[in-house]
Each structure stands twice: as structure tokens, then as C-alpha cells.
Amino acid sequence: MAIMRDGSAGSAGSFGSFGTAGAGRTRSRLGVRRRGGALLAAALAAGLLLTGCGADGTSSDSGSAKKGPAHDARKGGPTGGSADESANGPAASVAPDGDQDGKRERDGGADYRSTFALDVDTASYGYARSTLAEGRLPDPGTVRPEEFVNSFRQGYERPEGNGFSVTVDGARTGDDGWRLMRVGLATAQAPSNGERPPAALTFVIDISGSMGEPGRLDLVKTGLADLTGQLRADDSIALVTFSDEARTVLPMTRLGTSGGAARDRVQDAIDTLEPTDSTNLDAGVRTGYATAVKGVRAGATNRVVLMSDALANTGETAADAILERVADARRAHGITLFGVGVGSDYGDALMERLADKGDGHTTYVSSRADAKKVFVQQLPANVELRARDAKAQVAFDKRAVSDFRLLGYDNRRVADDDFRDDRVDGGEIGPGHTVTALYAVKLREGAEGRVAKATVRWLDPESRAPRETSGTVSASALTRPLWSDATAPRLRLSAVAAYFAHRLGGASDKPYPSEPGLNELASRAEGLTATTEDNDVRALADAVRDAAELRRTE
């Protein structure tokens, strides 16, 4: 996801920063110490093999004849509009839903659209749950509401083939006109026969001195061995290590049958990994991509997997210079980057930016339960993409809506006029994924008819042709009380997750509409545990209780 997603403050709403766009913030993620090699194997399985996790809503599909050339993403602007029309090339000529003669509708200068790149990360929730279990509150800067919400199953209807289904629903949060609206996007599951293209994976492994601490290189080695055992005969692996310099330990090697000589060579290479000197991350990235390019396989999923604490201290340490190495290889060869952070001290910002520039993402696993969920229960047998450069845009009807706010996605915002500009990158989405976006929406008194239309746009993973599909929601579909038993349990679960993240993120002085306190949120989660019969919901309830107790002792 290479786009630089800068948010900017929208117009002031009825409370806090509500408006068409929330203030952008720099993403920051802290690592936590991992325990057991199976956890890292699970993280790798999730990132490598899964990229490729409504009431009154309607959907429609359409293809588009417009195709933009691929190049580096332009800097995303504010979600809200400005006083002047943007001249962004071809996209500016396409009138979004609700527009007349290509002119955007406004009310007091506010743009009634919200646009963001899709995101399937869930690491923020995993980190928060882990730190709470250890008796610590997470750093507010690591809390991202969308990653909390997207950590749970939603049960959306799924499409056939590539692309998305769109579900839009919601509920009334109180008596002041505010509603919680849910936009749900889902891709089709991986085929049950397990067929998939082969994978060509280049592992770039940090063996600097800091990786010698428990829970770092030892975890990497065990996890690599476990993952290698799960890969198929037609998959390939290369290994690159870096400390003060980088070297290719194993060129791209086809694995072959289980127990064969090639798998033995891979294991022998893993066994030789030992911590040495400083961290020349730039050298690792350059050598890793050079090795990946040399081993590129047509028709395969070609990916670099960076495994590091990302604490660069030797060679080129400036993020932009390292990022350019990644961008060059991405443009030339289509190689994506998956970052696996390790260690309690973790250069989150650098790893995240590297993954974004390389059309990938970062991850970690915080518990054995998470590892089982990803590695055993959710591991599909393919690495195909369902959609490239996927973006979503929600167009609100100003006759029905007076104010709205997207909850989270602060660094995934895309300029509204860039929605149909296919030169601007979005998210790469794999099979079986769901993406949920929650909006706080204030309806005008007596509002009737359609409230919003949600459209997702993506490029077909093979032809690169743009596609779109949409769903709508009406005011009558948003009337049920949020916490009523008649409201969909998974919608209530999404609300608990988002409200919980907002409390942990240090923004309780600007609450979401009718935002409950931590004790009430814990009770809501506990009630949903019985309704959903979902152990993940039980874990959420425990995490909220832990947070409530820690807040009492502050």
C-alpha cells in the first residue's frame, strides 16, 4: 500500500473533531516479545498465505473503461473538500454519486464524501491485548480503531470470484440524532480444493546484536522452520541475512517433496543463523530485493519477507532512502514486501513505511490462541490476490446527513478526487478478507430516504482493469437502538471494539456518540460472548476488564 495517506482536520462537528475528515496522525506501532516459534509461523502464514480475514443494503457491480498508468502514488490529500475544485487529471472528470454536472455538493464548505484505502491489518489490537495481559496500558499512539474492529469475524455475504460484496447497515446510538453506520466489504474465500499459484519468498533476516535477545532471532529461526514445513513442493525460498553487511545465504530454492534434499538445505541455512554486529537495514533491503529479482518466477507470488526489530544504526538509516529501494523493485518486478517485527524494542515507524512502500503490511502474533487461529484454522491454500489498489468512498446525502466521522483509518485517508484515479495506490486484498469501516453519522431531523452510498473500487488482479461495486443504506435501516437484542450482534461487537480503542487511544475527552465507559463496554462484550459463542469475543471482554482495572489503579 504505497500511498502516502495524510489526513487533515475536517469541519468541526457537534462534538470534538467530527466532520468529513479526522486529523491525520503518524502511525506508530510498538513490538511485543513473541513466545514460541509457532507464533511467528502463524504470523507468516497470515501475511504470506492470507494476502492473497446488511440490512437494507443493496449492491451493484460495474466495470470502468478508465485505466491509469502505474507509478508511485501521489500524496493523498485531506478527505474533506476545499473551496476550489481539484485538478487531479482524469479522476476530476468523474462525478461521484450525488453530484450534479461534475460539481461536488457542499454544505458550508463541507465535502459530503469520505475516501480511504482498504486495510486488513489487525496488529494494533493484538499488541493492546498483549500489553494489557501483562499489566500495562498500551501506548495511545499504537491504538488504531480500525484494526480493533477488523480483528473480528463479521459474517458478511461474500461475492463469487474476484472483487467485493458491500454491506451497509447501522443503528441509533442515542436520542440526539447520531447513528453508528457500518460499511462491510468482503472477498470470496479461497477455493476448497486448495489450488493456488506457487510462491517465491525471499526472507531477509536481521542477525544484528540486538536480535540475540530472547524472543528475537531464536523465534525467527523456529518460525522459519515451522513455516517451511507448511509450504508446498512448487514453492521456493531464498534466505538473506544482514548485520553490518548483507549476504545471500541461500539463493532461490524450489522446496520439492517433504523430506527432500532441498528442504534439508533450507533447514541447514536456518540453523547457521547467529547474531553478530550492528543493523544495516539498508544493505538487507538492497540485497534482499536483488536476490528476489534474480529468483523472480513468472506466475508466482513473489514476495520479500523482512524479519527484524527495525532498529537501523549502520549504513543508510534514513527511511526515505531505504524506501526508494523498495519502490524501485516494486515498480519494475511487482515484488511485494511483508514485514515481521520482533522484540519489545521495535522500529515500528520504519517497518510500517517500508511495508506500505512495498505494497505490503506488517504483523505480529501476541498469543498461542492467535497462532492457532491464523495458522491452523484460517490458513488457506492459495496466495492469490482478489483485488489490487482497493479504495472505498462513502458519499453521504446532505439532505439526510448534517455531520459524520470515519472512526479510525486516520493514515489511510485518500483525497476524495483521487478515488477514481488508478495511479493512486490503495490496499492489496486477498481471499477470505473482510474490511469494516464504522462511521458516526448525525441525521437531520425528519431525515428520510437514502443516507449514504458506499462504493469500493479496485483493479482486477490479472487484467488490472478497474472495477466498482456499491451498496446503500436508508434512514429507516438506522433506527434500531444500538444495544438492542434486535440489532445484529456483530454490529454491536464492532461498536464495542471501536469504543474500546477510542478509550485506550487517549481520546476520551472527545467521546464517540453515546460512548460507554470501560466497565459498561466489558459488560457488553461479555453479553456478546454468549450470543456469538466466539472465544475471540471472550478475549475482548477480558481485555476491556483488564483496561478498566488498570485505569482504576492509575
Side-chain angles (χ1 to χ4, degrees), residues 432-500:
H433 279 149
T434 62
V435 179
T436 299
L438 294 180
Y439 284 86
V441 180
K442 189 168 187 178
L443 299 187
R444 299 185 188 276
E445 186 175 355
E448 295 179 345
R450 191 168 78 184
V451 169
K453 178 179 180 180
T455 302
V456 58
R457 181 181 178 89
W458 71 97
L459 302 183
D460 182 271
E462 295 182 0
S463 69
R464 302 281 180 150
R467 297 285 184 264
E468 291 186 8
T469 187
S470 301
T472 63
V473 68
S474 66
S476 61
L478 306 177
T479 58
R480 288 177 177 171
L482 176 59
W483 305 118
S484 167
D485 290 342
T487 299
R490 294 286 169 176
L491 173 58
R492 285 180 275 154
L493 175 61
S494 295
V496 171
Y499 287 153
F500 179 40

Side-chain angles (χ1 to χ4, degrees), residues 114 116 179-181 183 394 396 404-406 437-441:
S114 170
F116 59 95
R179 305 291 190 268
L180 189 69
M181 190 181 84
V183 176
V394 180
F396 292 91
F404 64 89
R405 180 184 181 183
L406 174 59
L438 294 180
Y439 284 86
V441 180

Side-chain angles (χ1 to χ4, degrees), residues 75 98 494 554:
K75 191 172 184 179
S494 295
E554 283 183 332

Side-chain angles (χ1 to χ4, degrees), residues 57-352:
T58 59
S59 297
S60 61
D61 294 316
S62 66
S64 171
K66 189 183 87 64
K67 294 181 70 175
H71 64 73
D72 265 352
R74 292 176 299 161
K75 191 172 184 179
T79 303
S82 63
D84 298 319
E85 290 294 326
S86 173
N88 283 327
S93 65
V94 181
D97 184 74
D99 288 2
Q100 298 177 355
D101 301 325
K103 296 180 180 179
R104 294 179 295 175
E105 293 196 321
R106 296 183 179 85
D107 183 12
D111 187 338
Y112 273 73
R113 293 176 292 170
S114 170
T115 309
F116 59 95
L118 301 197
D119 183 11
V120 296
D121 287 352
T122 59
S124 176
Y125 172 68
Y127 167 69
R129 198 180 65 180
S130 176
T131 55
L132 288 166
E134 294 174 356
R136 298 180 291 114
L137 288 167
D139 182 335
T142 68
V143 176
R144 291 173 289 279
E146 71 276 12
E147 296 188 23
F148 279 54
V149 173
N150 285 322
S151 295
F152 300 94
R153 295 190 295 274
Q154 298 289 342
Y156 301 134
E157 181 180 351
R158 294 185 182 274
E160 295 181 1
N162 291 329
F164 295 86
S165 64
V166 181
T167 300
V168 192
D169 61 5
R172 175 168 51 87
T173 61
D175 297 326
D176 55 359
W178 285 99
R179 305 291 190 268
L180 189 69
M181 190 181 84
R182 178 176 63 163
V183 176
L185 310 172
T187 58
Q189 297 283 6
S192 57
N193 60 14
E195 292 184 358
R196 65 166 174 85
L201 310 173
T202 301
F203 293 93
V204 180
I205 304 162
D206 186 347
I207 59 169
S208 62
S210 61
M211 292 291 288
E213 297 180 11
R216 299 195 185 194
L217 187 58
D218 57 335
L219 181 58
V220 167
K221 292 172 66 173
T222 305
L224 273 174
D226 289 345
L227 182 66
T228 300
Q230 295 292 320
L231 294 175
R232 300 189 330 194
D234 58 349
D235 294 328
S236 302
I237 282 181
L239 296 179
V240 172
T241 61
F242 68 94
S243 53
D244 57 338
E245 59 183 18
R247 70 186 185 97
T248 300
V249 176
L250 182 75
M252 194 64 71
T253 302
R254 193 78 60 96
L255 289 175
T257 58
S258 179
R263 292 180 187 266
D264 289 342
R265 287 199 299 275
V266 173
Q267 187 58 58
D268 289 344
I270 293 171
D271 290 341
T272 64
L273 302 179
E274 295 294 339
T276 56
D277 301 312
S278 53
T279 308
N280 192 337
L281 183 57
D282 177 59
V285 169
R286 284 188 286 106
T287 304
Y289 269 87
T291 301
V293 168
K294 187 174 182 179
V296 160
R297 292 177 57 186
T301 297
N302 295 278
R303 181 161 299 173
V304 168
V305 185
L306 176 61
M307 310 172 78
S308 173
D309 56 18
L311 301 176
N313 56 24
T314 300
E316 179 62 72
T317 60
D320 289 343
I322 300 175
L323 291 170
E324 190 56 32
R325 324 274 196 217
V326 178
D328 288 345
R330 176 185 64 81
R331 287 193 298 266
H333 302 283
I335 299 171
T336 58
L337 177 69
F338 175 48
V340 180
V342 296
S344 55
D345 295 322
Y346 172 40
D348 165 72
L350 177 57
M351 182 74 87
E352 182 71 12

